[in-house]
Amino acid sequence: MTFEKICVVGLGYIGLPTAAVIASRGIEVIGVDVSKRVIDTINRGEVHIVEPDLDMLVQATVNIGKLRATLLAEPAQAFIIAVPTPFKEGHKPDLSYIHSAAKIIAPALEKGNLVILESTSPVGATEKLSAWLQVLRPDLSFPQTAAENADIHIAHCPERVLPGHVLEELVSNDRIVGGMSKKCSDLAIKLYKTFVRGECYTTNSRTAEMAKLTENSFRDVNIAFANELSIICDKLQINVWELIALANRHPRVNILNPGPGVGGHCIAVDPWFIVDSAPEEAILIRHAREINDAKPNYVVKQVVDAAVQFKKPVIACLGLAFKADIDDLRESPAVDIVLKLAQSNQGKILAVEPNISHLPPKLQEAGIELVSLKKALEEANILVVLVDHKPFKTLTHNDINTKVIMDTRGIFRHF
Ligand code: SAJ
């Protein structure tokens, strides 16, 4: 089979770049999303998210007619599902977006089609997707019953791109291809080979699901180690950045960076899927999550303690995004910290976030002001670095030396 038309469901941080990259290879791509605003934006050749070079690629592929966005799925040879998989109460995975995606693509499915689930998923989700599709399309056969002879082929191929480097990593990263049968894997590899330069490794869908969760849990556990170390160092009056730099000179030590906590919709979420599947066994993984989730409260307490020395403290928080040089505020520890500071009535709270133009309503309602870096430097007596955005890293000693500094990212570690 050669792929001439592909339908990508979910046009967010993963779906849109994937759709645009595939379209740039000359394949017709139909992007499907539930948001009319998102569809209209893309069809104008514009983007609704910040990701380096994505705007140019979307504009180019829309202009040449290879990328088009719609509300409904259309018949295609392959369907790529890239919808969110957040957690709900009790850190239980919420598969409702995958279920909705199944309902969206079901009417368009035809014999011979390939369906790929890219969303990060708890173990067993791909089999669930296949079972849902089976119920929605009883006229077609699926791999859980028909294996190699199924009408529809299904695979889990988790996305592994790093926000901020998505376009480059989409092409260069290796892929894990977890087919529900060998034929499913073979077809999925064929599709990825249209744009992936990295290797494609095949396995079954459950191992592919667990591999993705394992990668993000590995990172979470390692960040938890760094965060715990930073708290220990505060107590022992040791500069954690110097300590880590020194320890990392050992050939087999590579400690990550402490920070204000772990954010985003991946690392702060995915380990819970393992904990949910094996609650008795996932002790370290759960503990790492708890350590990282507790870090924002620790930072708030440090700032509150520092604010006592001022009659009317003005606290400028540098950065709201969950990490450097992106606009994504989802699950951001910085947002959590800024809100908690506002709620603790410490004084005036200013937020500097160069990647957004207005504050989300909950921050506005809390009385937080979005200001320029210049204004923050003029007014603040306490500076709290929450994100290591590029413009903050250019600040000099003279810019900040009259202020109390709480640097959770270590950008002023050399001053
Ligand atoms: N962080 C630290 N210290 C560090 C590294 C990160 O505090 O040393 C914090 C960041 O500031 C951020 C959070 O962790 O708040 C997560 O950032 P990240 O850069 O580690 O990861 P994400 O969430 O942007 O992307 C991760 C990546 N996974 C791994 O590196 C194992 C990416 O490859 C995945 O595709 C992505 O999750 C995903 O979609 O699952």
Side-chain angles (χ1 to χ4, degrees), residues 14 80-81 114-120 126 154-160 175-179 184-185 188-189 192 201 205 208-209 212:
I14 301 300
I80 297 178
I81 298 176
L114 169 68
V115 177
I116 293 182
L117 179 63
E118 282 209 2
S119 313
T120 304
T126 309
I154 300 185
H156 179 58
C157 306
E159 62 78 16
R160 305 157 101 188
R175 300 292 303 219
I176 298 176
V177 176
C184 298
S185 295
I189 289 181
Y192 283 107
Y201 295 97
S205 61
E209 288 158 346
K212 170 62 196 259

Side-chain angles (χ1 to χ4, degrees), residues 14 120 159-163 169 212 215-216 219 223 227 256-267 270 322-324 333 409:
I14 301 300
T120 304
E159 62 78 16
R160 305 157 101 188
V161 290
L162 194 68
E169 289 207 357
K212 170 62 196 259
E215 291 159 14
N216 280 356
R219 195 151 167 89
I223 299 169
N227 277 336
L256 293 179
N257 295 314
V262 167
H265 35 286
C266 309
I267 297 200
D270 304 350
F322 83 84
K323 64 178 199 172
R409 299 282 183 176

